Amino acid sequence: MNGNLIIHTVILAAATLLLLPLPVALLRGWAPERLRERSAARAYAYAMLGLYVQACLNTVPRMLEAPAGLTTACTALGVGLAVVAAVFFMQAAARARRTQPVDGR
């Protein structure tokens, strides 16, 4: 069930490089031009952090060769975080759409 240590290490490194810098930057106050609404940027950041934590929950127990029950529980918690991240993404999209001007600029 635990798989290959190298594969899980590569997945965790890729998740760290791809999913962590943008939400940290958004939470520190930087935002791209189209995300000037602070509440939308925060919701995107929380969603991406949820996906990053999900990657950690799926790889770290396997890297440590945790028992099958713990690995399954962490995977189930990761699925729950994916649902929460989807809710945050939808909330951010709704907030961003609500604050856009009528003429699209």
Side-chain angles (χ1 to χ4, degrees):
M1 175 175 220
N2 291 332
N4 189 346
L5 178 65
I6 294 173
I7 291 173
H8 291 299
T9 304
V10 168
I11 290 171
L12 188 58
T16 301
L17 291 174
L18 296 174
L19 292 175
L20 202 54
L22 182 61
V24 170
L26 287 172
L27 290 175
R28 298 231 24 204
W30 176 86
E33 185 63 35
R34 63 186 199 127
L35 274 181
R36 289 298 174 200
E37 175 61 35
R38 189 77 182 131
S39 62
R42 280 193 172 276
Y44 277 122
Y46 291 144
M48 291 182 70
L49 285 175
L51 293 178
Y52 175 71
V53 172
Q54 179 192 19
C56 293
L57 283 173
N58 283 326
T59 57
V60 172
R62 288 174 172 84
M63 290 170 67
L64 298 176
E65 296 191 15
L70 181 62
T71 303
T72 304
C74 288
T75 301
L77 187 59
V79 170
L81 279 172
V83 171
V84 170
V87 169
F88 272 119
F89 277 129
M90 289 187 291
Q91 183 182 33
R95 286 180 180 174
R97 187 174 301 122
R98 190 174 344 134
T99 59
Q100 283 182 349
V102 177
D103 61 359
R105 286 188 266 156

